[in-house]
Amino acid sequence: MTIKSLITNFGKGAATKQVYVYEMWARWVARGIQFILALIVVGLYGTRVDRDRRHGDPQNPAWVYALFVAGVSCITCVLYAIPNPFSKKLAPHRLFAWDTTLFVLWIALFGAFAAIFLKRDGGEYQNTSVAVMKCAVWVDLVNALLWMGTAAYGGFRTCLGRRVNGKIDHYTGKVEDAVNAKVDKGLSNFSMKLNPQHKETEVV
């Protein structure tokens, strides 16, 4: 590979890398928020599940369901945070159907606990603080909205993927042409400095 091709590929890679790096950072931020909120839900609902386990009481299916949804969400966030964890053809945004599934699970969780706790003023319900569970209900809603957002972005990115990639290719083509022009000019000046006699011969 010649020096010119190396410089051109480096310049093109540096330009295109920024586009994908921004997208990767945005994905990390979104998945990080989803992961943290899911962990909060694990703590809020896990306290009741752990207490029932220690006292030998039967587990409430609604609380177990909450832990299941939060746990699956945490695992999904970890996998999605890895750049191309599956393959280039199966990028995380192409799995928007799974994000949609998690949105449905979260919204069902929100609906179930909202019906129990939002109509209550305070005190306890089945040895569970109503005030704490009201907070948990709103965290459930935020989780649902976040998964809806990532599902919508994934569907948008998948449907318009070819168009977006085409624009990126067009942009990188312009960058490559500019890099080639600068490389040609730089190599020409460098060649003249190494061979000053060649320049004098042309003048004569």
Side-chain angles (χ1 to χ4, degrees), residues 26-27 35 56 64 85 96 99 124 171 180 182 194 197 201 204:
R27 182 173 73 247
F35 180 78
V64 175
F96 64 93
D99 285 56
E124 290 189 349
Y171 168 69
N180 281 330
K182 290 184 179 181
L194 291 178
Q197 295 180 352
T201 304
V204 175

Side-chain angles (χ1 to χ4, degrees), residues 87-165:
S87 69
K88 291 184 178 180
K89 293 183 179 180
L90 197 61
H93 65 264
R94 294 181 181 273
L95 301 176
F96 64 93
W98 179 243
D99 285 56
T100 305
T101 301
L102 286 174
F103 160 70
V104 173
L105 295 177
W106 277 109
I107 205 67
L109 177 62
F110 165 75
F113 282 91
I116 298 173
F117 291 101
L118 292 187
K119 62 184 179 181
R120 301 181 185 277
D121 295 329
E124 290 189 349
Y125 172 78
Q126 296 184 358
N127 297 323
T128 303
S129 172
V130 173
V132 172
M133 293 311 300
K134 280 187 175 181
C135 295
V137 166
W138 295 120
V139 175
D140 295 338
L141 179 60
V142 173
N143 270 302
L145 294 177
L146 284 173
W147 284 101
M148 181 182 68
T150 53
Y153 168 77
F156 174 81
R157 183 72 171 81
T158 300
C159 294
L160 298 181
R162 292 183 179 180
R163 185 176 299 179
V164 172
N165 291 336

